[in-house]
Amino acid sequence: LEGPLAVYKGVTPLIPSIAPYMSLAFVGFEHGKQVVQSNNNNQNQIDKQKYLSINQLAIAGFISGIYTTPLIGPAERIKCLAQVEQKKSLQLAKEIYQAKGIKSFYKGGTFTALRECIGAAFYFGTYYYLKQNYLKNLEKEEKTNLNFPVFYNLLYGGLAGVSMWCIVVPFDVIKSRIQTAPENVTTNETLRIIRADVNKNGAKVLYRGLSAALIRSFPANAACFLGYEKARVLFDYYMDV
């Protein structure tokens, strides 16, 4: 039997990638916002556009996923294999490279990209839509203090994570099945196996692990957005000094 640390199996390759991954996610989102604003028909209003529509926020989030996919793909490949094989992450990385080179790290890349892009659309779309509505209501009430409370910061961040995982779990399950399949098994063959599994056992097979993902997601993403908002406040403060 494995001990309690077994729940952290396979996280080693993810640890060094988490900080750059989240940085790329937020940078990609900010770039996405610039892209959707640049498509505004009234160019004179671009700089004045304070709030984005839910569609614009979702598109900006989708663009964020394009930034994160190349980084998270290899880490996810190693993590998934480490969870099903009794091997160290470094050993697995060597074996993956020896099998088919760099491209082997991106096995299941299509579903990784779908998870990242669609997930980020819901992730950033949910958070910023809720935040914008809160600030709009303050403006309607003509409140002079437009600070964003920590409670709502945590709440909206947690809900963003939950909304993302509710949507992307099927993509994540398919991605993991493809990434852990033997090297001689093609993606199409794995998809046929998954399709047969769904026909036999129902769509629930695509939602395995959803409960654990949601339990983990709320506090993790609440903390993530709180850290981001506070870091922005500090950055703006020192930039103005």
Side-chain angles (χ1 to χ4, degrees):
L1 293 177
E2 296 181 285
L5 291 179
V7 297
Y8 296 100
K9 199 173 184 180
V11 301
T12 302
L14 292 178
I15 292 174
S17 66
I18 289 174
Y21 170 82
M22 294 309 303
S23 297
L24 278 174
F26 282 99
V27 168
F29 178 67
E30 291 299 325
H31 181 223
K33 285 165 62 178
Q34 293 175 7
V35 171
V36 296
Q37 286 177 315
S38 68
N39 289 329
N40 192 318
N41 292 329
N42 187 349
Q43 292 293 322
N44 294 326
Q45 296 298 318
I46 291 176
D47 293 332
K48 298 179 182 179
Q49 188 176 3
K50 187 174 183 180
Y51 298 119
L52 299 179
S53 69
I54 184 64
N55 289 337
Q56 288 176 312
L57 291 170
I59 292 170
F62 189 94
I63 291 172
S64 169
I66 298 172
Y67 279 65
T68 57
T69 298
L71 176 65
I72 202 64
E76 284 281 338
R77 172 89 156 108
I78 298 170
K79 181 205 74 172
C80 289
L81 284 174
Q83 290 175 338
V84 297
E85 298 185 21
Q86 300 296 325
K87 296 178 181 178
K88 298 292 184 180
S89 296
L90 184 59
Q91 181 184 355
L92 285 170
K94 290 179 179 178
E95 290 179 1
I96 291 170
Y97 180 77
Q98 290 170 353
K100 290 185 179 179
I102 293 294
K103 69 176 183 179
S104 186
F105 284 101
Y106 290 94
K107 187 176 182 180
T110 298
F111 285 92
T112 301
L114 287 171
R115 186 196 72 173
E116 289 298 301
C117 293
I118 296 173
F122 280 86
Y123 186 64
F124 288 107
T126 298
Y127 178 79
Y128 281 99
Y129 181 73
L130 292 172
K131 179 183 176 182
Q132 285 184 170
N133 278 349
Y134 176 84
L135 296 177
K136 284 179 184 178
N137 288 333
L138 288 184
E139 291 180 351
K140 287 179 182 178
E141 296 171 7
E142 298 183 350
K143 297 285 183 70
T144 56
N145 184 5
L146 295 180
N147 289 334
F148 190 41
V150 170
F151 173 78
Y152 289 106
N153 191 167
L154 291 169
L155 176 63
Y156 297 163
L159 291 175
V162 168
S163 70
M164 174 186 72
W165 279 106
C166 283
I167 298 299
V168 304
V169 160
F171 298 111
D172 189 64
V173 170
I174 295 171
K175 171 197 71 69
S176 298
R177 294 274 293 266
I178 293 171
Q179 290 179 326
T180 55
E183 285 295 337
N184 62 341
V185 176
T186 67
T187 295
N188 286 335
E189 289 172 333
T190 303
L191 290 175
R192 280 197 291 271
I193 293 171
I194 295 171
R195 192 177 298 112
D197 195 5
V198 170
N199 290 336
K200 180 180 179 181
N201 300 302
K204 65 182 180 181
V205 301
L206 297 178
Y207 289 88
R208 287 171 181 162
L210 175 61
S211 297
L214 295 182
I215 292 171
R216 177 186 70 241
S217 181
F218 191 97
N221 291 289
C224 175
F225 274 106
L226 178 63
Y228 174 74
E229 294 287 1
K230 296 306 177 185
R232 286 206 64 163
V233 170
L234 284 174
F235 180 79
D236 291 341
Y237 172 79
Y238 284 108
M239 287 296 290
D240 291 337
V241 172

